[in-house]
């Protein structure tokens, strides 16, 4: 009877270890998906010309405004899919023209959002720099 109880404890420990491994694996996958690789491409590729403190602030603002950014990206993807399906033969020029206008509108929305976030990052880092200069007594 004791041997059976010991065996049950071992099996229970293996089961719990396997369960924890699966939970951590799923968490890693969901976190990677949630962070949206497209957002990091937007943050790094388009803004690599800016100083590191501006890029850091921009990434922070992207995280804070993640829902808006993901929604704008989703709308752009949907508009592009609609354009691709409208472009399938036979050509319906009016549908293609409307789909193209939708892609332009979605692109404009995304671009405006990114530019607004960049402007806010620039303002924030400028305020921080100006505040540091005021407290140190230096003038740029």
């Amino acid at each position: 009877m004791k041997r059976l109880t010991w065996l049950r404890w071992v099996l229970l420990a293996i089961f719990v270890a396997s369960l924890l491994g699966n939970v951590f694996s799923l968490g890693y996958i969901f976190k990677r998906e949630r962070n949206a690789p497209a957002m990091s491409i937007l943050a790094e590729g388009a803004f690599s010309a800016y100083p590191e403190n501006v890029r850091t602030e921009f990434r922070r603002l992207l995280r804070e405004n993640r829902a808006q950014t993901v929604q704008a990206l989703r709308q752009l993807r949907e508009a592009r899919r609609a354009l691709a399906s409208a472009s399938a033969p036979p050509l319906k020029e009016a549908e293609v023209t409307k789909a193209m206008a939708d892609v332009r509108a979605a692109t404009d929305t995304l671009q405006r959002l990114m530019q607004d976030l960049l402007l806010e990052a620039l303002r924030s880092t400028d305020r921080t720099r100006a505040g540091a200069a005021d407290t140190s007594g230096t003038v740029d």
Side-chain angles (χ1 to χ4, degrees), residues 72 75-84 96-110:
Q75 287 173 346
L76 180 57
R77 273 194 304 269
E78 289 171 7
R80 286 180 177 164
R81 281 188 203 120
L83 175 58
V96 172
T97 303
K98 183 195 178 312
M100 287 178 172
D102 292 344
V103 169
R104 279 192 302 276
T107 302
D108 186 53
T109 299
L110 179 62

Side-chain angles (χ1 to χ4, degrees), residues 43-44 47-63 117-133 140:
E44 295 305 321
F47 300 103
S48 61
Y50 294 95
E52 183 59 35
N53 62 336
V54 173
R55 289 186 305 210
T56 300
E57 180 65 11
F58 180 75
R59 284 190 298 266
R60 184 189 68 76
L61 290 169
L62 266 179
R63 283 189 301 273
L117 293 176
L118 176 61
L119 182 58
E120 182 57 35
L122 290 168
R123 285 179 186 147
S124 176
T125 55
D126 188 55
R127 282 191 301 263
T128 303
R129 185 183 55 78
D140 287 337

Side-chain angles (χ1 to χ4, degrees), residues 16-17 25 50 64 120:
V16 168
S25 296
Y50 294 95
E64 285 181 3
E120 182 57 35

